[in-house]
Amino acid sequence: KERCVIQNSNPEDLRHPVQLGGTNSAVIDSSFYNIRQTVVRSENHCILVGQSTGPILVQNCYLEGYFGILIGGFSWTGTQQDVTIRQNHFFRLASWGNDSLQKHCVEGKSGVRVLVEQNVFDPNGTFSIGEVRFYFTEFDGSGSDSADWTIRYNKFRNNTNTISDAY
């Protein structure tokens, strides 16, 4: 996906507008607006990195949503590898208020060799209890790894929590 604009005009329906799987997948120079669900009340993500052996690239994107990027999870097996998240802007609208589903900008349920650099994380003052910019957890006890993450040269605005580990 390159130079895409995804605008959610119906917050009841859109859950994961882009799902990356396979090998050599990328989202570049794209914008995501209003990525949230207000009626169904389930987690949603601008980009979902699923069944993939990599490499995966997310670069120079505007990600406006309750969640930004989820790596792994759901019913996928294996570990996502060689993921690069670079030069993106993670944002939330102040008008969304303090909704309990506004959580993590980047969540890793399984990911090895993940690079997160030169991004801007700006929740615009809308925080949920327990919200963090990066959240690492094992998905289902199957031994899927979240390891070898490099997080560097990022800018954090309006931030109280940065990294959480739920192992």
Side-chain angles (χ1 to χ4, degrees):
K1 309 275 183 217
E2 187 172 352
R3 295 187 197 104
C4 294
V5 175
I6 298 173
Q7 170 85 37
N8 183 14
S9 59
N10 184 359
E12 296 178 19
D13 295 331
L14 192 60
R15 186 153 186 215
H16 310 293
V18 172
Q19 297 182 33
L20 298 176
T23 59
N24 297 309
S25 299
V27 179
I28 302 170
D29 299 331
S30 297
S31 298
F32 297 78
Y33 297 98
N34 197 32
I35 307 303
R36 62 191 180 124
Q37 288 182 301
T38 58
V39 176
V40 177
R41 308 294 300 158
S42 63
E43 292 184 3
N44 56 333
H45 309 84
C46 293
I47 299 172
L48 182 62
V49 178
Q51 189 80 23
S52 173
T53 56
I56 298 287
L57 173 66
V58 179
Q59 183 169 304
N60 197 35
C61 295
Y62 176 80
L63 302 160
E64 179 186 286
Y66 277 5
F67 282 76
I69 299 173
L70 172 64
I71 301 170
F74 293 91
S75 60
W76 295 304
T77 59
T79 301
Q80 291 66 29
Q81 301 174 19
D82 302 313
V83 179
T84 301
I85 301 168
R86 178 184 291 133
Q87 299 171 334
N88 301 291
H89 187 176
F90 293 81
F91 190 77
R92 296 193 182 120
L93 296 176
S95 62
W96 292 352
N98 192 9
D99 190 299
S100 63
L101 283 179
Q102 297 182 55
K103 293 185 181 177
H104 322 300
C105 291
V106 178
E107 182 172 357
K109 294 191 176 185
S110 64
V112 173
R113 292 184 304 276
V114 178
L115 173 63
V116 182
E117 68 177 358
Q118 301 174 344
N119 298 286
V120 175
F121 296 94
D122 185 2
N124 200 23
T126 58
F127 284 98
S128 294
I129 297 171
E131 174 193 7
V132 292
R133 299 297 152 260
F134 301 98
Y135 182 75
F136 306 102
T137 183
E138 188 174 1
F139 173 57
D140 60 1
S142 66
S144 296
D145 292 324
S146 257
D148 300 321
W149 282 59
T150 302
I151 301 169
R152 63 183 184 187
Y153 313 125
N154 295 287
K155 186 173 196 173
F156 300 92
R157 298 179 180 156
N158 304 311
N159 191 47
T160 57
N161 300 316
T162 302
I163 297 176
S164 178
D165 182 344
Y167 281 104

Coordinates of all heavy atoms in Angstrom, one line a residue, residues 78-150:
G78 N 3.2 -18.5 14.9 CA 4.5 -18.0 14.4 C 4.8 -16.6 15.0 O 4.0 -16.0 15.7
T79 N 5.9 -16.1 14.6 CA 6.4 -14.8 15.1 C 6.7 -13.9 13.9 O 7.3 -14.3 12.9 CB 7.7 -15.0 15.9 OG1 7.4 -15.9 17.0 CG2 8.2 -13.7 16.4
Q80 N 6.2 -12.7 13.9 CA 6.4 -11.7 12.9 C 7.8 -11.3 13.0 O 8.3 -11.0 14.1 CB 5.4 -10.6 13.0 CG 4.0 -10.9 12.7 CD 3.3 -11.9 13.7 OE1 3.7 -12.0 14.8 NE2 2.4 -12.7 13.2
Q81 N 8.5 -11.1 11.9 CA 10.0 -10.8 11.9 C 10.3 -9.7 11.0 O 9.6 -9.4 10.0 CB 10.8 -12.0 11.4 CG 10.5 -13.3 12.2 CD 11.2 -14.5 11.6 OE1 12.2 -14.4 10.8 NE2 10.8 -15.7 12.0
D82 N 11.4 -9.0 11.4 CA 11.9 -7.9 10.6 C 10.9 -6.8 10.3 O 10.6 -6.6 9.1 CB 12.6 -8.5 9.3 CG 13.6 -9.5 9.6 OD1 14.5 -9.2 10.5 OD2 13.6 -10.6 9.0
V83 N 10.4 -6.2 11.3 CA 9.4 -5.1 11.2 C 10.0 -3.8 11.4 O 10.7 -3.6 12.4 CB 8.2 -5.3 12.2 CG1 7.2 -4.2 12.0 CG2 7.6 -6.7 11.9
T84 N 9.9 -2.8 10.5 CA 10.4 -1.5 10.7 C 9.2 -0.5 10.7 O 8.4 -0.5 9.7 CB 11.4 -1.2 9.5 OG1 12.4 -2.1 9.5 CG2 11.9 0.2 9.7
I85 N 9.2 0.3 11.7 CA 8.2 1.3 11.9 C 8.9 2.7 12.0 O 9.5 2.9 13.0 CB 7.3 1.1 13.1 CG1 6.6 -0.3 13.0 CG2 6.3 2.2 13.3 CD1 6.0 -0.8 14.3
R86 N 8.9 3.5 10.9 CA 9.8 4.6 10.8 C 9.1 5.9 10.3 O 8.3 5.8 9.3 CB 10.9 4.2 9.9 CG 11.9 5.4 9.6 CD 13.0 5.0 8.6 NE 13.9 4.0 9.2 CZ 14.3 2.9 8.5 NH1 13.8 2.6 7.3 NH2 15.1 2.0 9.1
Q87 N 9.4 7.0 10.9 CA 8.9 8.3 10.4 C 7.4 8.5 10.3 O 6.9 9.0 9.3 CB 9.6 8.7 9.1 CG 11.1 8.7 9.2 CD 11.8 8.9 7.9 OE1 11.3 8.5 6.9 NE2 13.0 9.4 7.9
N88 N 6.7 7.9 11.3 CA 5.2 8.0 11.3 C 4.8 9.0 12.3 O 5.5 9.3 13.3 CB 4.6 6.6 11.6 CG 5.1 5.6 10.6 OD1 4.7 5.6 9.4 ND2 5.9 4.7 11.0
H89 N 3.5 9.4 12.2 CA 2.9 10.3 13.2 C 1.7 9.6 13.8 O 0.7 9.4 13.0 CB 2.6 11.6 12.6 CG 2.1 12.7 13.6 ND1 1.8 13.9 13.2 CD2 1.9 12.6 14.9 CE1 1.4 14.6 14.3 NE2 1.4 13.8 15.3
F90 N 1.8 9.2 15.0 CA 0.6 8.6 15.7 C -0.1 9.7 16.4 O 0.4 10.4 17.2 CB 1.1 7.6 16.8 CG 1.8 6.4 16.1 CD1 3.1 6.5 15.7 CD2 1.1 5.2 16.0 CE1 3.8 5.4 15.2 CE2 1.7 4.1 15.4 CZ 3.1 4.2 15.0
F91 N -1.4 9.8 16.2 CA -2.2 10.9 16.7 C -3.6 10.5 17.1 O -4.2 9.6 16.6 CB -2.3 12.0 15.6 CG -2.9 13.3 16.0 CD1 -2.1 14.2 16.8 CD2 -4.2 13.7 15.7 CE1 -2.6 15.4 17.2 CE2 -4.7 14.9 16.2 CZ -3.9 15.7 16.9
R92 N -4.2 11.3 18.1 CA -5.6 11.1 18.5 C -6.2 12.4 18.6 O -5.6 13.4 19.1 CB -5.7 10.3 19.8 CG -5.1 8.9 19.7 CD -5.4 8.1 20.9 NE -4.9 6.8 20.7 CZ -4.0 6.3 21.5 NH1 -3.6 6.9 22.6 NH2 -3.5 5.1 21.3
L93 N -7.5 12.5 18.2 CA -8.2 13.8 18.3 C -8.7 14.0 19.8 O -9.2 13.1 20.4 CB -9.4 13.8 17.4 CG -9.1 13.7 15.9 CD1 -10.4 13.5 15.1 CD2 -8.3 14.8 15.4
A94 N -8.5 15.3 20.2 CA -8.9 15.6 21.6 C -10.4 15.5 21.7 O -11.0 15.2 22.8 CB -8.5 17.1 21.9
S95 N -11.2 15.6 20.6 CA -12.6 15.5 20.6 C -13.1 14.1 20.9 O -14.3 13.9 21.3 CB -13.2 16.0 19.3 OG -12.8 15.2 18.2
W96 N -12.2 13.1 20.8 CA -12.6 11.8 21.2 C -12.7 11.6 22.7 O -13.3 10.6 23.1 CB -11.6 10.8 20.6 CG -11.5 10.6 19.1 CD1 -12.4 11.2 18.2 CD2 -10.6 9.9 18.4 NE1 -12.0 10.9 17.0 CE2 -10.9 10.1 17.0 CE3 -9.4 9.2 18.7 CZ2 -10.2 9.5 16.0 CZ3 -8.7 8.6 17.7 CH2 -9.1 8.8 16.3
G97 N -12.2 12.5 23.4 CA -12.3 12.4 24.9 C -11.4 11.3 25.4 O -10.4 10.8 24.8
N98 N -11.8 10.8 26.6 CA -11.0 9.8 27.3 C -11.7 8.5 27.3 O -12.1 7.9 28.2 CB -10.7 10.2 28.8 CG -9.7 9.4 29.5 OD1 -9.0 8.6 28.8 ND2 -9.6 9.6 30.7
D99 N -11.8 7.9 26.1 CA -12.4 6.6 25.9 C -11.6 5.5 26.3 O -10.4 5.5 26.1 CB -12.7 6.5 24.4 CG -13.7 5.3 24.1 OD1 -13.3 4.1 24.4 OD2 -14.7 5.5 23.5
S100 N -12.2 4.5 27.0 CA -11.4 3.4 27.5 C -10.7 2.5 26.5 O -9.9 1.7 26.8 CB -12.3 2.5 28.4 OG -13.3 1.9 27.6
L101 N -11.1 2.6 25.2 CA -10.5 1.8 24.1 C -9.3 2.5 23.5 O -8.7 1.9 22.6 CB -11.5 1.4 23.1 CG -12.5 0.3 23.5 CD1 -13.5 0.0 22.3 CD2 -11.8 -1.0 23.8
Q102 N -9.0 3.7 23.9 CA -7.8 4.4 23.4 C -6.6 3.9 24.2 O -6.5 4.2 25.3 CB -7.9 5.9 23.5 CG -9.1 6.4 22.7 CD -9.1 7.9 22.8 OE1 -8.1 8.6 22.6 NE2 -10.3 8.4 23.3
K103 N -5.8 3.0 23.5 CA -4.8 2.4 24.3 C -3.4 2.6 23.7 O -2.9 3.7 23.7 CB -5.0 0.9 24.5 CG -6.2 0.6 25.4 CD -6.4 -0.8 25.6 CE -7.6 -1.1 26.5 NZ -7.8 -2.5 26.6
H104 N -2.8 1.6 23.1 CA -1.4 1.6 22.8 C -1.2 2.1 21.3 O -1.9 1.8 20.5 CB -0.8 0.2 22.9 CG -1.4 -0.5 24.2 ND1 -1.3 0.0 25.4 CD2 -2.2 -1.6 24.3 CE1 -1.9 -0.8 26.3 NE2 -2.4 -1.8 25.6
C105 N -0.1 2.8 21.2 CA 0.3 3.2 19.8 C 0.9 2.0 19.1 O 0.6 1.8 17.9 CB 1.3 4.4 19.9 SG 0.6 5.9 20.5
V106 N 1.8 1.3 19.7 CA 2.4 0.1 19.1 C 2.3 -1.0 20.1 O 2.7 -0.9 21.3 CB 3.9 0.3 18.7 CG1 4.5 -0.9 18.2 CG2 4.0 1.5 17.8
E107 N 1.7 -2.1 19.7 CA 1.5 -3.3 20.6 C 2.2 -4.5 19.9 O 1.9 -4.8 18.8 CB 0.0 -3.6 20.9 CG -0.2 -4.7 21.8 CD -1.6 -4.9 22.3 OE1 -2.5 -4.1 21.9 OE2 -1.9 -5.9 23.0
G108 N 3.0 -5.2 20.7 CA 3.7 -6.4 20.2 C 3.3 -7.6 20.9 O 3.6 -7.8 22.1
K109 N 2.5 -8.5 20.3 CA 2.2 -9.8 20.9 C 3.1 -10.8 20.4 O 3.3 -11.8 21.0 CB 0.7 -10.1 20.5 CG -0.2 -9.1 21.2 CD -1.6 -9.6 21.1 CE -2.5 -8.6 21.9 NZ -3.9 -9.0 22.0
S110 N 3.7 -10.6 19.3 CA 4.8 -11.5 18.8 C 5.6 -10.7 17.7 O 5.0 -10.3 16.7 CB 4.3 -12.8 18.3 OG 3.5 -12.6 17.1
G111 N 6.8 -10.5 17.9 CA 7.6 -9.7 16.9 C 9.1 -9.8 17.3 O 9.5 -9.6 18.4
V112 N 9.9 -10.2 16.3 CA 11.3 -10.3 16.5 C 12.0 -9.4 15.5 O 11.6 -9.4 14.3 CB 11.8 -11.8 16.3 CG1 13.3 -11.9 16.4 CG2 11.1 -12.7 17.4
R113 N 13.1 -8.8 15.9 CA 13.8 -7.8 15.1 C 12.9 -6.7 14.6 O 12.6 -6.6 13.4 CB 14.5 -8.5 14.0 CG 15.7 -9.4 14.4 CD 16.4 -10.0 13.3 NE 15.6 -10.7 12.3 CZ 15.3 -12.0 12.4 NH1 15.6 -12.7 13.5 NH2 14.5 -12.6 11.5
V114 N 12.4 -5.9 15.6 CA 11.5 -4.8 15.3 C 12.2 -3.5 15.6 O 12.8 -3.3 16.6 CB 10.2 -4.9 16.2 CG1 9.3 -3.7 15.9 CG2 9.5 -6.2 15.9
L115 N 12.2 -2.6 14.6 CA 12.8 -1.3 14.7 C 11.8 -0.2 14.7 O 11.0 -0.2 13.8 CB 13.8 -1.1 13.6 CG 14.5 0.3 13.5 CD1 15.3 0.6 14.7 CD2 15.3 0.4 12.2
V116 N 11.7 0.6 15.8 CA 10.8 1.7 15.8 C 11.6 3.0 16.0 O 12.2 3.2 17.1 CB 9.8 1.5 17.0 CG1 8.8 2.7 17.1 CG2 9.1 0.2 17.0
E117 N 11.7 3.8 15.0 CA 12.5 5.0 15.0 C 12.0 6.2 14.3 O 11.2 6.0 13.3 CB 13.9 4.7 14.5 CG 14.0 4.4 13.0 CD 15.5 4.2 12.6 OE1 16.4 4.2 13.4 OE2 15.6 3.9 11.4
Q118 N 12.3 7.4 14.8 CA 12.0 8.7 14.1 C 10.5 8.9 14.0 O 10.0 9.4 13.0 CB 12.7 8.8 12.8 CG 14.2 8.7 12.9 CD 14.9 8.7 11.5 OE1 14.3 8.5 10.5 NE2 16.2 8.9 11.6
N119 N 9.7 8.4 14.9 CA 8.3 8.6 14.9 C 7.9 9.7 15.9 O 8.6 10.0 16.8 CB 7.6 7.3 15.3 CG 7.8 6.1 14.4 OD1 7.3 6.1 13.3 ND2 8.7 5.2 14.8
V120 N 6.7 10.2 15.7 CA 6.1 11.2 16.6 C 4.9 10.5 17.2 O 4.0 10.1 16.5 CB 5.7 12.5 16.0 CG1 5.0 13.4 16.9 CG2 6.9 13.2 15.4
F121 N 4.8 10.5 18.6 CA 3.7 9.9 19.3 C 3.0 11.0 20.0 O 3.6 11.6 21.0 CB 4.2 8.8 20.3 CG 4.8 7.6 19.6 CD1 6.2 7.6 19.4 CD2 4.0 6.6 19.1 CE1 6.8 6.5 18.8 CE2 4.6 5.5 18.5 CZ 6.0 5.5 18.3
D122 N 1.8 11.4 19.6 CA 1.1 12.5 20.2 C -0.4 12.2 20.4 O -1.2 12.3 19.5 CB 1.2 13.7 19.2 CG 0.6 15.0 19.8 OD1 0.1 15.0 20.9 OD2 0.6 16.0 19.0
P123 N -0.7 11.8 21.6 CA -2.1 11.4 21.9 C -3.0 12.7 22.1 O -4.2 12.5 22.3 CB -2.1 10.6 23.2 CG -0.9 11.2 23.9 CD 0.1 11.6 22.8
N124 N -2.4 13.9 22.0 CA -3.2 15.1 22.1 C -4.0 15.2 23.4 O -5.1 15.7 23.4 CB -4.2 15.2 20.9 CG -4.6 16.7 20.7 OD1 -3.9 17.6 21.1 ND2 -5.7 16.8 20.0
G125 N -3.4 14.7 24.4 CA -4.0 14.8 25.8 C -5.1 13.9 26.1 O -5.7 13.9 27.1
T126 N -5.4 12.9 25.1 CA -6.4 11.9 25.4 C -5.8 10.7 25.9 O -5.3 9.9 25.1 CB -7.3 11.7 24.1 OG1 -6.4 11.2 23.1 CG2 -8.0 12.9 23.7
F127 N -5.9 10.4 27.2 CA -5.3 9.2 27.8 C -6.3 8.3 28.4 O -7.3 8.8 28.9 CB -4.3 9.6 28.9 CG -3.0 10.2 28.4 CD1 -2.8 11.5 28.4 CD2 -2.0 9.3 28.0 CE1 -1.6 12.0 27.9 CE2 -0.8 9.8 27.6 CZ -0.6 11.2 27.5
S128 N -6.1 7.1 28.3 CA -6.9 6.1 29.0 C -6.1 5.6 30.2 O -4.8 5.6 30.1 CB -7.3 4.9 28.1 OG -8.1 5.4 27.1
I129 N -6.7 5.0 31.2 CA -6.0 4.4 32.3 C -5.2 3.3 31.7 O -5.7 2.4 31.0 CB -7.0 4.0 33.4 CG1 -7.7 5.2 33.9 CG2 -6.3 3.2 34.4 CD1 -8.8 4.9 34.9
G130 N -3.9 3.2 32.1 CA -3.1 2.1 31.6 C -2.5 2.3 30.2 O -1.9 1.4 29.7
E131 N -2.9 3.3 29.5 CA -2.4 3.5 28.2 C -0.9 3.8 28.1 O -0.3 4.5 28.9 CB -3.1 4.7 27.5 CG -2.6 5.0 26.2 CD -3.1 6.4 25.7 OE1 -3.7 7.1 26.4 OE2 -2.8 6.7 24.5
V132 N -0.2 3.1 27.2 CA 1.2 3.3 27.0 C 1.5 3.4 25.5 O 0.7 3.1 24.7 CB 2.0 2.2 27.6 CG1 1.9 2.2 29.1 CG2 1.6 0.8 27.0
R133 N 2.6 3.9 25.2 CA 3.0 4.0 23.8 C 3.4 2.7 23.2 O 3.1 2.3 22.1 CB 4.2 5.0 23.6 CG 3.9 6.4 24.1 CD 2.8 7.0 23.2 NE 2.1 8.0 24.0 CZ 1.0 7.8 24.6 NH1 0.3 6.7 24.5 NH2 0.4 8.8 25.3
F134 N 4.1 1.8 24.0 CA 4.5 0.5 23.6 C 4.1 -0.5 24.6 O 4.3 -0.3 25.8 CB 6.1 0.5 23.4 CG 6.6 1.5 22.5 CD1 7.1 2.7 22.9 CD2 6.6 1.2 21.1 CE1 7.6 3.6 22.0 CE2 7.0 2.1 20.2 CZ 7.5 3.3 20.7
Y135 N 3.5 -1.6 24.2 CA 3.0 -2.6 25.1 C 3.4 -4.0 24.5 O 3.1 -4.3 23.4 CB 1.5 -2.5 25.2 CG 0.8 -3.5 26.1 CD1 0.9 -3.3 27.5 CD2 0.1 -4.6 25.6 CE1 0.3 -4.1 28.4 CE2 -0.5 -5.4 26.5 CZ -0.4 -5.2 27.9 OH -1.0 -6.1 28.7
F136 N 4.1 -4.7 25.4 CA 4.6 -6.1 24.9 C 3.9 -7.1 25.8 O 3.9 -7.0 27.0 CB 6.1 -6.2 25.1 CG 6.8 -5.1 24.4 CD1 7.3 -4.0 25.1 CD2 7.0 -5.1 23.0 CE1 8.0 -3.0 24.5 CE2 7.6 -4.1 22.4 CZ 8.2 -3.0 23.1
T137 N 3.4 -8.1 25.1 CA 2.7 -9.2 25.9 C 2.8 -10.5 25.0 O 2.9 -10.4 23.8 CB 1.3 -8.9 26.2 OG1 0.7 -9.9 27.0 CG2 0.4 -8.7 25.0
E138 N 2.8 -11.6 25.7 CA 2.7 -12.9 25.0 C 1.2 -13.1 24.7 O 0.3 -13.0 25.5 CB 3.3 -14.0 25.8 CG 3.4 -15.3 25.0 CD 4.1 -16.4 25.9 OE1 4.5 -16.1 27.0 OE2 4.2 -17.5 25.3
F139 N 0.9 -13.5 23.4 CA -0.5 -13.6 23.0 C -1.3 -14.7 23.7 O -2.3 -14.5 24.3 CB -0.6 -13.8 21.5 CG -2.0 -14.1 21.0 CD1 -3.0 -13.2 21.2 CD2 -2.2 -15.2 20.3 CE1 -4.3 -13.4 20.8 CE2 -3.5 -15.5 19.8 CZ -4.5 -14.6 20.0
D140 N -0.8 -15.9 23.6 CA -1.7 -17.0 24.1 C -0.9 -18.1 24.9 O -1.4 -19.2 25.1 CB -2.3 -17.7 22.9 CG -1.3 -18.3 21.9 OD1 -0.1 -18.1 22.2 OD2 -1.7 -18.8 20.9
G141 N 0.3 -17.8 25.4 CA 1.1 -18.7 26.1 C 1.7 -19.8 25.3 O 2.3 -20.7 25.8
S142 N 1.7 -19.6 23.9 CA 2.3 -20.6 23.0 C 3.8 -20.4 22.8 O 4.4 -21.2 22.1 CB 1.6 -20.5 21.7 OG 1.9 -19.2 21.1
G143 N 4.4 -19.4 23.5 CA 5.8 -19.2 23.3 C 6.1 -18.3 22.2 O 7.3 -18.1 21.8
S144 N 5.1 -17.6 21.6 CA 5.5 -16.6 20.6 C 6.3 -15.5 21.2 O 6.0 -15.1 22.3 CB 4.2 -16.0 20.0 OG 3.4 -17.0 19.3
D145 N 7.3 -15.1 20.5 CA 8.2 -14.1 21.1 C 7.9 -12.7 20.7 O 7.4 -12.4 19.6 CB 9.7 -14.4 20.6 CG 10.2 -15.7 21.1 OD1 9.9 -16.1 22.2 OD2 10.9 -16.4 20.3
S146 N 8.2 -11.8 21.6 CA 8.4 -10.4 21.4 C 9.8 -10.1 21.9 O 10.0 -9.9 23.1 CB 7.3 -9.5 22.1 OG 6.3 -9.1 21.3
A147 N 10.7 -10.0 21.0 CA 12.1 -9.9 21.4 C 12.9 -9.1 20.4 O 12.5 -8.9 19.2 CB 12.8 -11.3 21.5
D148 N 14.0 -8.5 20.8 CA 14.9 -7.8 19.9 C 14.3 -6.6 19.3 O 14.3 -6.4 18.1 CB 15.5 -8.7 18.8 CG 16.3 -9.8 19.4 OD1 17.0 -9.6 20.4 OD2 16.2 -11.0 18.9
W149 N 13.6 -5.8 20.1 CA 13.0 -4.5 19.7 C 14.0 -3.4 19.9 O 14.6 -3.3 21.0 CB 11.8 -4.2 20.5 CG 10.6 -5.0 20.1 CD1 10.4 -6.4 20.0 CD2 9.3 -4.5 19.6 NE1 9.2 -6.7 19.6 CE2 8.5 -5.6 19.4 CE3 8.8 -3.2 19.5 CZ2 7.2 -5.4 18.9 CZ3 7.5 -3.0 19.0 CH2 6.7 -4.1 18.7
T150 N 14.2 -2.5 19.0 CA 15.0 -1.3 19.1 C 14.0 -0.1 18.9 O 13.4 0.0 17.9 CB 16.1 -1.3 18.0 OG1 16.9 -2.4 18.1 CG2 16.9 0.0 18.2

